């Protein structure tokens, strides 16, 4: 069932990375200057991924309530976060023909980030995220205190949110000052340092779909 869904939606999915050279150079300089970068019309395949995401959601088994924390420390914390997620597995042979081009873009970006910021990113993890009406994510950092391996956060937005669901980015140095408010738009992106930029998702009035990816500096641990 799942493979057919993807075949229908991705007859000839992107073959090239979604980031052009000029975007990359803006991205690097903004990350350096302010710790974050955002851009619109970066991800033309967003409508395709949106259909898939909706399909996986309605078919029932794929999404689960998002948790806070990592592995054994994961807790359900409905006062901090209300959304649902579906992890995109990199070794899922059914999905891979269709999501691999996107994953290759993540790999390319990982290498560029390593070269530009002297990081030692080794891998990334990626999930579909859905915030339904009433969903939110209170102000937080993506790097956990007891697990510091998430270094860079990248979010690709799959649909427009005319109101509600804005992402608030706080200033890198003055953590109570709002630097910027991003209204999710289909095909737009935001990227920031996971350990520097506090952010929050304001209450959602419209279903809000995205792909969130974290670039990490550790290798995978098989529990
Ligand atoms: C997260 C997060 C923000 C967004 O998943 O950690 O902060 O705009 N997401 O989806
Ligand atoms: Ni976050």
């Amino acid at each position: 069932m799942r493979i057919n869904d993807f075949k229908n939606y991705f007859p000839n999915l992107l073959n090239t990375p979604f980031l052009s050279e000029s975007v990359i150079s803006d991205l690097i300089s903004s990350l350096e200057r302010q710790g974050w970068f955002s851009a619109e019309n970066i991800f033309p395949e967003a409508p395709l991924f949106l259909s898939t995401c909706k399909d996986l959601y309605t078919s029932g088994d794929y999404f689960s309530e998002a948790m806070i924390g990592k592995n054994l420390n994961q807790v359900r914390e409905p006062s901090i976060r209300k959304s649902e997620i579906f992890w995109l597995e990199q070794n899922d042979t059914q999905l891979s023909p269709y999501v691999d081009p996107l994953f290759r873009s993540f790999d390319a970006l990982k290498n560029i980030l390593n070269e530009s910021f002297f990081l030692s990113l080794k891998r990334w993890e990626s999930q579909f995220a859905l915030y339904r009406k009433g969903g939110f994510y209170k102000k937080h950092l993506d790097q956990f205190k007891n697990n510091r391996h998430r270094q860079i956060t990248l979010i690709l937005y799959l649909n427009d949110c005319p109101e509600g669901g804005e992402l608030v980015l706080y200033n890198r140095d003055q953590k109570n000052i709002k630097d910027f408010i991003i209204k999710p738009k289909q095909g737009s992106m935001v990227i920031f340092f996971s350990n520097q930029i506090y952010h929050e998702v304001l209450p959602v009035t419209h279903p809000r779909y995205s792909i969130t990816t974290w670039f990490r500096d550790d290798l995978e641990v098989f529990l």
Side-chain angles (χ1 to χ4, degrees), residues 81 131 137-138 140-143 150 153 155 167 192 197 199-201 212 214:
R81 175 180 196 182
Y131 292 72
Y137 200 158
K138 296 265 172 76
H140 66 282
L141 271 184
D142 283 356
Q143 191 179 89
R150 280 183 177 172
T153 305
I155 305 167
L167 174 71
F192 51 86
I197 303 294
H199 55 283
E200 78 182 302
V201 178
T212 306
W214 291 280

Side-chain angles (χ1 to χ4, degrees), residues 35-55:
W36 60 269
F37 169 74
S38 79
E40 293 182 4
N41 301 318
I42 226 81
F43 184 43
E45 294 75 15
L48 303 176
F49 280 88
L50 175 64
S51 323
T52 305
C53 190
K54 285 182 173 172
D55 230 63

